[in-house]
Amino acid sequence: MTTSTPPVGPRDIALAHYAGRALLETVLARHGITFQQSVTLRLAAVADGPVGREQLVDGVTGALKTGAAEVHRVLDELIAAQLLTPDGSSDVRITDTGRELYATTTGETAPITARIYDGIPAEDLVVTGRVLSLITERARAELTTLRR
């Protein structure tokens, strides 16, 4: 008897997301930062120089589907922890300490990610990327409709 793999569904995507997030949060907790702080810090780390506070808020709210007030609180936490610093009246920039923390957590998660993806054919990853992008686009459109 041959069993075939069932098509992916919402639960499968959710389980994969939460499994990966749990791994990341385990690494982040060793360094005293949260998932939300990590997402915010990453946006500052990959920016070329100072970035507008509102630009960071927009980026994080878009990525995490959370409220702006929550992201402002996270930004304030990162500033208090001296991982970000104000730069002018409305910009922030990552500090050397923040950049070091970002590099450390990225370095610790990279081999885990490599092990997870090891052996998955490139063609499968391309198809998966295309499908997940379409699902994300459609979910965002539905969320926009629901929030009206």
Side-chain angles (χ1 to χ4, degrees):
M1 176 196 294
T2 304
T3 55
S4 62
T5 303
V8 70
R11 183 172 187 275
D12 302 306
I13 294 169
L15 290 173
H17 163 76
Y18 286 115
R21 182 166 169 175
L23 288 167
L24 175 59
E25 286 180 335
T26 300
V27 170
L28 297 174
R30 290 195 298 246
H31 298 281
I33 66 169
T34 67
F35 178 73
Q36 294 82 355
Q37 290 171 335
S38 173
V39 170
T40 307
L41 192 62
R42 179 193 174 281
L43 290 175
V46 300
D48 287 333
V51 62
R53 186 178 176 109
E54 289 307 316
Q55 182 182 349
L56 280 177
V57 169
D58 290 347
V60 176
T61 59
L64 299 182
K65 309 301 178 255
T66 190
E70 170 69 12
V71 180
H72 280 288
R73 184 187 61 74
V74 169
L75 279 167
D76 291 340
E77 291 170 353
L78 291 169
I79 290 169
Q82 298 179 340
L83 301 172
L84 296 178
T85 189
D87 190 306
S89 62
S90 62
D91 289 349
V92 295
R93 65 177 166 77
I94 193 166
T95 63
D96 290 342
T97 303
R99 191 166 303 286
E100 182 179 317
L101 177 61
Y102 174 73
T104 298
T105 57
T106 300
E108 288 180 21
T109 57
I112 297 168
T113 301
R115 287 191 299 273
I116 292 168
Y117 282 77
D118 184 45
I120 300 174
E123 313 80 56
D124 289 354
L125 293 174
V126 169
V127 170
T128 302
R130 198 168 42 245
V131 170
L132 289 175
S133 292
L134 181 58
I135 290 169
T136 301
E137 178 184 317
R138 290 179 178 180
R140 284 181 178 152
E142 290 293 332
L143 185 59
T144 298
T145 300
L146 287 174
R147 288 184 173 170
R148 287 186 189 156

